[in-house]
Amino acid sequence: GDSVTQMEGPVTLSEEAFLTINCTYTATGYPSLFWYVQYPGEGLQLLLKATKADDKGSNKGFEATYRKETTSFHLEKGSVQVSDSAVYFCALSLYNQGGKLIFGQGTELSVKP
Amino acid sequence: DAGVIQSPRHEVTEMGQEVTLRCKPISGHNSLFWYRQTMMRGLELLIYFNNNVPIDDSGMPEDRFSAKMPNASFSTLKIQPSEPRDSAVYFCASRNSGGAGNEQFFGPGTRLTVL
C-alpha cells in the first residue's frame, strides 16, 4: 500500500548546522508530496510542497525536491536556528483518494544554541 | 480568516463518559478530516468527509467512535463510551478539494485525557 518513511529522530543539531531529514515514499500513482511542521502544543502547518517530479518546494530557508527516480523528498536547510526546533512530517496525497494525507512517523528536531 | 476552529482545546473525562469534539472548518473548504495523534501510533486518519458526506471511515477504531457533518461549517467526533486508551490529541483539518496538491489546514487540536 501507499506509505511514507522518514528517518527516525530525535535529531539534535547546533545552531547554523546543516539539516537533512530523509523521506521516501511508496505510492501506486503519482503523488503530491508535502512537508508539515508541528511546533510544541500546536497543530500541523504546511512547510512546503511539490506536486510533480523534479519540482522543488521551498519556504523559510527549507527546501525539498521531488525525486521520482529515488521516490524521495528529503528536507534540507543550510543553517538551522533554535526556532526551527519542532517535529517535521513528510506526507503524500493521491488525486484519486480525495486528498487524504498519508504521513510518515515524524522526525523531532532539536536545535541547541 | 480564523482558520480551523476546534473545541474544546482540552478535555478531561472519566472512563465510560461520552465525549464530543467539535470542528468548524475554513469557510469555502469542502473536505474535512479527523486525525488522532499519539506517541505510540503517530498521526492516524480517522475519517474524512467530502461535501459533508463521509468518504472513508476505515480509520475509525471501533463502534464507540462516530463522526457527523450536518452542514458545511460544522463537524463532530463522538466517543461513547470513552476509554483510557482513547487519550490522544485529536486534530481536525479542512481543504478545498481542487486537486491532490491542495494543502490541508489543521486546527490546534483537542487534547483528550480519559481517566
Side-chain angles (χ1 to χ4, degrees):
Chain A
D2 305 317
S3 65
V4 175
T5 302
Q6 292 180 232
M7 64 186 284
E8 286 194 22
V11 174
T12 302
L13 296 174
S14 298
E15 207 166 21
E16 299 184 2
F18 185 86
L19 169 71
T20 299
I21 300 178
N22 290 338
C23 171
T24 57
Y25 67 89
T26 302
T28 51
Y30 297 99
S32 294
L33 301 174
F34 305 81
W35 277 101
Y36 279 81
V37 59
Q38 184 179 29
Y39 299 101
E42 298 183 12
L44 279 71
Q45 305 172 27
L46 179 69
L47 181 59
L48 53 84
K49 68 178 183 181
T51 57
K52 60 183 188 295
D54 300 326
D55 270 2
K56 177 186 283 188
S58 61
N59 185 26
K60 299 180 181 179
F62 291 89
E63 293 183 341
T65 301
Y66 188 142
R67 301 286 188 200
K68 184 180 174 184
E69 63 275 13
T70 54
T71 62
S72 65
F73 193 54
H74 304 321
L75 183 68
E76 297 182 336
K77 186 175 185 182
S79 176
V80 294
Q81 305 300 313
V82 173
S83 57
D84 294 327
S85 298
V87 180
Y88 292 81
F89 292 90
C90 185
L92 69 82
S93 173
L94 289 165
Y95 183 78
N96 63 351
Q97 293 185 10
K100 74 176 186 180
L101 288 168
I102 297 171
F103 285 96
Q105 68 270 40
T107 302
E108 181 180 359
L109 170 66
S110 178
V111 181
K112 306 297 185 186
Chain B
D1 193 334
V4 176
I5 299 172
Q6 291 187 247
S7 64
R9 292 293 309 276
H10 302 274
E11 176 80 28
V12 180
T13 190
E14 293 188 347
M15 183 174 63
Q17 297 298 306
E18 176 182 304
V19 175
T20 300
L21 311 182
R22 297 172 176 80
C23 175
K24 177 178 169 56
I26 292 173
S27 177
H29 285 186
N30 59 346
S31 294
L32 184 140
F33 304 79
W34 282 101
Y35 293 90
R36 178 172 67 176
Q37 186 178 36
T38 62
M39 289 294 292
M40 291 296 295
R41 301 173 68 91
L43 265 169
E44 303 172 275
L45 176 66
L46 300 177
I47 184 171
Y48 77 93
F49 297 82
N50 203 33
N51 294 320
N52 311 338
V53 176
I55 302 300
D56 183 354
D57 65 354
S58 60
M60 295 286 263
E62 48 198 277
D63 291 345
R64 297 184 298 106
F65 286 69
S66 62
K68 294 182 180 179
M69 192 164 186
N71 57 61
S73 59
F74 185 65
S75 177
T76 60
L77 178 68
K78 183 180 292 186
I79 308 172
Q80 180 185 22
S82 58
E83 297 182 2
R85 60 194 168 118
D86 302 330
S87 298
V89 181
Y90 291 81
F91 289 103
C92 176
S94 70
R95 73 187 284 267
N96 192 345
S97 63
N102 288 0
E103 69 176 284
Q104 291 185 21
F105 292 81
F106 282 74
T110 295
R111 181 174 295 276
L112 173 64
T113 302
V114 183
L115 303 175

